[in-house]
Amino acid sequence: MSSLEQMYQQVIMDHAREGHGRGLADLNLVQVGESHQVNTTCGDEIRLRVGLDGDRIESVSWEGQGCSISQASVSVLHDLVEGEDIAEAEAAMEAFRDLMQARGEELGDERDDLLGDATAFVGVGKYPARIKCAMLGWAAFKDAMIQARKDQS
Amino acid sequence: MLRPNLRDDFPLLTRTVRNGKPLVYLDSGATAQKPRAVIDAEREFYELHNGAVARGAHLLAEEATDLFEGARGDVARLVGADHGEIVWAENATAALNLVAGGIGNASAGIGGEESARFRIGPGDEICVTETEHHANLVPWQQLAVRTGATLRWIPVDDDGRLILDDLDTLVNDRTRVLAFTHVSNLTGLISPVSTLVARAKQVGALTVLDGCQSVPHLPVDVKALDVDFMAFSAHKMLGPTGIGALYGRKELLDALPPAVFGGGAVTIVTMEKTSWHEAPMRFEAGTQPVAQAVGMGAAARYLMDIGMDAVEAHEREIAAILRGGAAELPGVRLLGPVGDEHARDVVAIAAVAVDGVHPHDVGQVLDDRGIAVRVGHHCAQPLHRRFGITGSTRASAHVYTTPDDARAFVDALATVPAFFGVNA
Ligand SMILES: Cc1ncc(COP(=O)(O)O)c(C=O)c1O
């Protein structure tokens, strides 16, 4: 597999097309947080909303546009963290960040299991310029979680 | 015709990328590669002549000063200016800010009566265009905020050409500054300078030209263009980073207050007040990037040795392949004018939008073939917005670009829709 093929694996192409979690959900939850992030090099934008129910992430939805890497990444994120406990989502977030810093090597520990489809992003780590694309949705998620945990309305 | 061995002057072009592929460098619009003459000039300056310019009383200081001022003369010659009309600035962005900042300072009363002619305020207008790079938009926008003046702009049509129908309304008796680019960094279009300058002169507005994408690629003569100021960067004209220049008509430069204050730029300083040198020194406070200036001078000489007419002729040949080829690909939209009848107005830049494929993804496929292009908004967000897109993929050339380089771009671009499963 060439580096290019490793980067654009079928899973990634599928997620980019399908966009799981696309479309902001109207949430009737106590704790809701939202974040808007922009990739300043290309102008790509994402708005992501999370809704919490106690320690559980009840809902993750988003809208925005971007390259296939950023779109696939937020789609995978949605599948990974929606319906999970906050602690698990945080572990996945940390594992994904480490994967991006691994220069194209797999993490090679039990954390690969935490990542599910997100392991397909391993090839992105070889291209520093694209790590930002892959992280855009995750940055929005991290920020939205902070907002949600502050929200007691 | 250029020398057939000209590419040998550029050491970097011999390296390989991405698993041994030859480099196809098509990102000269962002920054150009450097010929040995430029690299050597900088190295020799440090190895043999380094000293404090216009300060020391020793031989090295004399040599450094001669080289520094000689470089200024070479850069002046490239654009048809006089020696004292070239001010060093860090890059074109800094040069444009020098003018906008100087006008802002004049408006705040700095520079006294001498600079009163630059004062602007509420009721005055500054005019730019919708094609501007952020470097020639934001400083004017912010000057308007600072002074209470109003910012207006000349719109463009679907091809990216300036719409001049309302020029007489947009540039009117209240207009104090008309700032516009000579060549668009997105469409490659050459602006109708003489029409714009003529109108500015009728109403007594200052003209500020962004020469970033023209000086490296076309013969440019500031006296023939009759502009008041022009900014350009060395790194896009085969020179070093960290240096650029502002051309200004001498009588204007001598009256414009500086935007950066400090030593070296002043004649008499008391605890209460300061008087400035004449230009260019008044704008060159603090220790200057001397080796870079010497490198910029070497780049100007290198281009003059080739001849700017020959550079332009070469790049038109490349433009025809880049733009002609890209225009014919299904699923690919070439930004700017399409078709032969427009070719005379365009330099060797081809920015494209591929239907259904994000510019970052396009760039990645090209990079995999060793082709270096720029992706994103290229600091021209308003023009992209005008075209209904957020970004594009841009190929841009220079003297070392070969017809094969241009064809490699077109061939690689042709494979993009299928790679991403988009039906063109
Ligand atoms: C048309 C135009 N203006 C201004 C600039 C800014 O040049 P610099 O970044 O060297 O200041 C650029 C370069 O990107 C440009 O293409």
Side-chain angles (χ1 to χ4, degrees):
Chain A
M1 200 160 41
S2 75
S3 296
L4 192 67
E5 286 161 348
Q6 191 193 15
M7 177 144 147
Y8 291 109
Q9 290 180 36
Q10 197 57 47
V11 209
I12 292 187
M13 300 290 230
D14 291 345
H15 271 287
R17 200 173 44 249
E18 291 163 14
H20 301 170
R22 193 198 303 270
L24 287 179
D26 278 331
L27 297 178
N28 223 341
L29 291 165
V30 177
Q31 289 184 293
V32 176
E34 197 173 290
S35 174
H36 176 229
Q37 298 286 326
V38 180
N39 184 343
T40 49
T41 48
C42 53
D44 288 353
E45 292 182 49
I46 191 165
R47 187 176 295 282
L48 185 143
R49 190 177 289 166
V50 297
L52 303 180
D53 183 0
D55 283 341
R56 211 175 101 90
I57 299 168
E58 199 61 41
S59 166
V60 176
S61 61
W62 55 276
E63 65 182 19
Q65 45 79 36
C67 63
S68 50
I69 299 300
S70 72
Q71 301 289 284
S73 182
V74 68
S75 172
V76 166
L77 165 79
H78 165 270
D79 290 3
L80 266 183
V81 301
E82 194 174 71
E84 301 294 330
D85 284 345
I86 291 175
E88 269 169 81
E90 282 178 344
M93 211 158 29
E94 197 182 311
F96 191 75
R97 200 171 333 113
D98 288 351
L99 184 71
M100 289 300 101
Q101 300 306 324
R103 300 180 174 277
E105 303 293 329
E106 278 166 29
L107 292 181
D109 53 30
E110 67 286 355
R111 289 188 303 164
D112 277 338
D113 297 340
L114 281 178
L115 286 173
D117 278 356
T119 52
F121 286 86
V122 59
V124 176
K126 280 190 195 160
Y127 298 97
R130 301 305 298 277
I131 294 175
K132 252 197 206 163
C133 310
M135 292 302 297
L136 187 67
W138 295 76
F141 174 67
K142 185 176 175 193
D143 185 42
M145 287 288 286
I146 294 171
Q147 305 306 327
R149 291 165 96 169
K150 280 195 227 153
D151 182 28
Q152 297 295 343
S153 55
Chain B
M1 272 285 280
L2 302 181
R3 266 185 291 124
N5 60 347
L6 181 132
R7 273 176 72 89
D8 298 345
D9 296 348
F10 295 82
L12 185 139
L13 295 178
T14 60
R15 70 161 282 183
T16 58
V17 293
R18 304 282 183 221
N19 299 320
K21 297 190 187 74
L23 169 67
V24 176
Y25 189 75
L26 290 171
D27 200 16
S28 299
T31 200
Q33 298 304 340
K34 322 303 177 199
R36 214 169 255 113
V38 167
I39 301 167
D40 287 350
E42 261 198 85
R43 203 193 47 245
E44 274 169 26
F45 177 80
Y46 283 128
E47 287 181 355
L48 296 170
H49 311 291
N50 183 44
V53 162
R55 282 168 172 80
H58 51 80
L59 179 71
L60 291 180
E62 277 170 22
E63 289 181 5
T65 306
D66 281 351
L67 286 164
F68 183 69
E69 292 304 330
R72 193 193 304 274
D74 292 332
V75 171
R77 235 169 358 110
L78 178 70
V79 297
D82 293 333
H83 183 270
E85 296 178 319
I86 294 294
V87 179
W88 299 119
E90 195 179 322
N91 47 37
T93 302
L96 291 162
N97 275 283
L98 187 161
V99 183
I103 294 174
N105 284 345
S107 308
I110 292 173
E113 276 320 296
E114 166 190 82
S115 73
R117 62 197 291 186
F118 294 107
R119 284 182 203 151
I120 65 173
D124 290 329
E125 294 181 8
I126 301 167
C127 189
V128 296
T129 83
E130 209 176 3
T131 55
E132 297 314 308
H133 185 283
H134 298 166
N136 199 31
L137 165 58
V138 183
W140 303 114
Q141 195 184 65
Q142 298 306 310
L143 179 64
V145 172
R146 185 174 164 193
T147 58
T150 302
L151 185 76
R152 308 189 76 171
W153 55 90
I154 300 170
V156 301
D157 65 16
D158 292 347
D159 280 349
R161 285 183 192 281
L162 300 180
I163 300 173
L164 299 178
D165 301 354
D166 295 327
L167 181 62
D168 289 355
T169 333
L170 290 168
V171 179
N172 57 58
D173 289 339
R174 294 179 300 277
T175 309
R176 307 296 310 281
V177 178
L178 173 60
F180 61 100
T181 195
H182 195 178
V183 169
S184 160
N185 68 324
L186 187 59
T187 61
L189 270 166
I190 303 170
S191 300
V193 181
S194 56
T195 308
L196 294 170
V197 169
R199 178 59 189 161
K201 283 193 175 298
Q202 271 175 5
V203 299
L206 292 168
T207 48
V208 182
L209 191 66
D210 177 352
C212 264
Q213 299 292 348
S214 59
V215 172
H217 307 289
L218 308 170
V220 170
D221 183 324
V222 287
K223 297 288 149 91
L225 294 173
D226 207 11
V227 290
D228 294 319
F229 296 98
M230 181 177 77
F232 51 111
S233 275
H235 70 99
K236 293 179 199 283
M237 49 170 269
L238 315 178
T241 51
I243 190 78
L246 174 73
Y247 157 78
R249 280 203 322 193
K250 188 69 164 69
E251 44 128 2
L252 292 174
L253 286 179
D254 283 341
L256 185 70
V260 173
F261 304 114
V266 294
T267 48
I268 296 168
V269 178
T270 66
M271 291 316 287
E272 293 84 18
K273 55 183 202 194
T274 292
S275 52
W276 291 293
H277 271 300
E278 61 174 61
M281 281 179 82
R282 63 165 53 202
F283 301 106
E284 296 174 358
T287 304
Q288 294 294 297
V290 182
Q292 288 88 331
V294 169
M296 186 173 186
R301 286 199 305 279
Y302 182 86
L303 285 170
M304 287 186 283
D305 285 347
I306 295 174
M308 290 310 295
D309 288 324
V311 172
E312 180 181 2
H314 171 74
E315 294 199 20
R316 290 198 180 277
E317 187 189 330
I318 302 296
I321 303 172
L322 284 176
R323 297 187 65 85
E328 289 191 353
L329 297 176
V332 172
R333 171 179 171 202
L334 176 67
L335 305 180
V338 174
D340 292 346
E341 77 272 26
H342 298 305
R344 75 197 138 75
D345 291 347
V346 188
V347 304
I349 288 177
V352 297
V354 180
D355 294 345
V357 186
H358 190 278
H360 259 153
D361 294 323
V362 178
Q364 201 75 47
V365 172
L366 269 52
D367 173 66
D368 192 58
R369 295 183 169 214
I371 303 171
V373 294
R374 173 128 184 217
V375 298
H377 53 58
H378 325 306
C379 301
Q381 287 180 16
L383 187 54
H384 277 95
R385 211 169 284 128
R386 170 65 182 80
F387 290 148
I389 51 181
T390 51
S392 61
T393 304
R394 181 185 74 183
S396 53
H398 218 306
V399 287
Y400 40 72
T401 307
T402 65
D404 281 346
D405 289 341
R407 281 189 280 270
F409 169 71
V410 176
D411 290 348
L413 198 56
T415 70
V416 169
F419 183 86
F420 290 100
V422 177
N423 293 324

